[in-house]
Amino acid sequence: MSDNRPLYHSVKIGDLELGGNLFLAPVAGYSDRAFRAVCWDCGMDFCYTEMVSSEALVRGSEKTEEMMARAVNEKAYAVQIFGGNAETMGKSAKIVLEKSSCDLIDINGGCPVPKIVKTGAGSMLTKEPERLYAIVKAVKQGVDEYCAEHSERKKVPVTIKIRSGWDDSHITWKEAAQAALEAGADAITLHARTRAQGYAGVSNWQILKELVDFVRSSSRVIPVFGSGDAFSPEDCKRMIETTDCDAVMFARGAMGNPFIFKQTKQFLTQGRYDDIEAKERIEAGFKQLDALLLESKDGSEEWACREMRKAFCAYSKGIAGGNKLRAKIVSACSRKDYKDIFQFT
């Protein structure tokens, strides 16, 4: 560990100071503010919105703007934006600052989904460092210009998440990191898989370690965060010890299991952690559902309950009779339906 710092420690990103190093990653379809609110209650230190389209922001999409809202209990959060055009990304940064109270803007340079990549966004930025440089530079400039015109708005750090490369024959994390550093990024997150891997195979933490060493030997030392294959407190500890990254992002490991933040903090500080009972797991699901119900503009209970089906399926994993529960969850349309399904709690 660098400077013999403890496994669980504070993190500084530009002028933003965070009390701990356990983050919720931006996950499309999952990291909405209802789930983030539950994660905050479970000890999360920082989080990111689902990725937000820069093109949609510039077009004035109200639905897209809603994705940037802060959860009621959110202490600090980032809005993650994506796009392949530097000018549009710069404009969208200003809209983010105008329409949200976020504490950080993150750029998606890692999404492997074809419809994102073909626009020049997501993993294409890792593949094309010149484009990555232009986009980070434009977003930084957008933040600077907006804050110069609106002195009441606190300037936020700009960070970027990248992949290790396009495929095994095109490992470009170093070039992407160098471009991010030169453009003024305030932190870099690495999901140590290639675009070709998607979410399959194994995340290469050796590359994450190499990125940490590369950045710390550069003329601009900024934090490096790790993502990929953090599914348990033990995984988090091993990632930190193996790579010396400054923070760990939980993605799929937090789905249906927001308690991973509480358990991991306990494990990093005490060497042990408490199990979570089925009742507590399902109660968290109902907290998320109730938060989602409050978000629904038209008060649509059915919409919120449909949205919660995948979440309750995740919450039910590891519970006795889970398969039978999930067979019922997929047709639940009301809060009462869920209450009837989980009446054993």
Side-chain angles (χ1 to χ4, degrees):
M1 296 295 297
S2 62
D3 302 323
N4 295 314
R5 65 182 177 183
L7 293 169
Y8 182 73
H9 56 79
S10 60
V11 178
K12 194 169 189 294
I13 311 170
D15 292 331
L16 176 63
E17 297 187 14
L18 303 172
N21 58 337
L22 305 178
F23 299 174
L24 174 66
V27 183
Y30 282 97
S31 55
D32 57 19
R33 62 183 182 271
F35 182 61
R36 300 197 313 266
V38 174
C39 288
W40 275 110
D41 287 342
C42 290
M44 176 182 67
D45 296 307
F46 193 59
C47 57
Y48 299 70
T49 65
E50 303 172 79
M51 61 180 184
V52 172
S53 167
S54 60
E55 295 282 352
L57 283 178
V58 171
R59 291 197 306 268
S61 167
E62 290 185 12
K63 184 176 180 181
T64 303
E65 289 178 12
E66 289 171 8
M67 294 173 65
M68 302 190 298
R70 182 186 290 263
V72 291
N73 62 339
E74 209 149 39
K75 301 171 186 174
Y77 80 112
V79 169
Q80 189 189 68
I81 57 176
F82 74 92
N85 180 278
E87 182 180 359
T88 302
M89 287 287 277
K91 290 179 180 178
S92 71
K94 296 180 181 181
I95 298 171
V96 171
L97 295 183
E98 178 187 357
K99 301 292 186 178
S100 81
S101 60
C102 73
D103 304 278
L104 182 149
I105 295 177
D106 186 59
I107 299 167
N108 186 309
C111 179
V113 176
K115 69 178 182 179
I116 302 296
V117 173
K118 72 179 183 181
T119 67
S123 294
M124 189 60 77
L125 301 192
T126 302
K127 184 181 182 182
E128 300 181 358
E130 298 85 0
R131 187 194 295 261
L132 184 154
Y133 173 88
I135 283 176
V136 174
K137 195 78 173 176
V139 173
K140 290 282 291 187
Q141 184 176 342
V143 170
D144 288 344
E145 290 176 356
Y146 185 88
C147 292
E149 296 172 4
H150 303 81
S151 57
E152 74 283 358
R153 183 54 160 107
K154 184 179 179 181
K155 187 180 293 187
V156 304
V158 173
T159 63
I160 184 164
K161 187 176 184 181
I162 64 173
R163 287 232 168 192
S164 55
W166 188 254
D167 54 32
D168 288 342
S169 299
H170 300 85
I171 302 298
T172 53
W173 64 266
K174 186 176 291 186
E175 293 83 356
Q178 183 63 43
L181 285 167
E182 291 176 0
D186 295 295
I188 300 173
T189 300
L190 175 67
H191 183 154
R193 283 183 170 89
T194 64
R195 187 263 172 178
Q197 280 181 279
Y199 300 99
V202 177
S203 180
N204 189 340
W205 291 357
Q206 176 59 33
I207 289 180
L208 177 57
K209 183 182 187 309
E210 291 173 9
L211 172 61
V212 170
D213 293 342
F214 175 75
V215 170
R216 289 184 184 163
S217 65
S218 71
S219 57
R220 283 191 66 241
V221 180
I222 59 176
V224 175
F225 310 139
S227 178
D229 291 353
F231 294 105
S232 68
E234 291 86 353
D235 289 338
C236 179
K237 182 174 184 288
R238 186 164 58 87
M239 181 186 284
I240 295 171
E241 291 178 334
T242 301
T243 71
D244 202 19
C245 62
D246 296 285
V248 172
M249 279 192 189
F250 290 98
R252 288 175 292 167
M255 301 304 102
N257 186 29
F259 314 99
I260 198 167
F261 297 104
K262 176 170 65 174
Q263 289 178 316
T264 301
K265 180 178 179 180
Q266 188 179 9
F267 188 59
L268 296 183
T269 57
Q270 301 176 29
R272 55 168 295 277
Y273 59 91
D274 298 321
D275 292 332
I276 305 299
E277 299 296 329
K279 181 178 181 180
E280 185 177 358
R281 206 174 279 280
I282 299 307
E283 284 176 349
F286 277 102
K287 282 185 180 180
Q288 186 175 340
L289 171 59
D290 290 340
L292 202 59
L293 286 168
L294 289 174
E295 287 180 20
S296 177
K297 277 190 172 182
D298 59 2
S300 174
E301 181 179 7
E302 183 175 351
W303 170 83
C305 290
R306 286 179 180 274
E307 287 290 304
M308 278 298 296
R309 287 174 181 173
K310 61 187 174 184
F312 267 117
C313 282
Y315 279 113
S316 68
K317 288 181 179 178
I319 294 177
N323 288 336
K324 291 182 179 179
L325 291 173
R326 286 186 284 278
K328 297 177 181 178
I329 289 169
V330 295
S331 58
C333 294
S334 68
R335 196 178 191 281
K336 182 181 182 302
D337 288 344
Y338 286 117
K339 277 294 186 182
D340 290 341
I341 292 169
F342 295 108
Q343 57 184 328
F344 68 93
T345 62

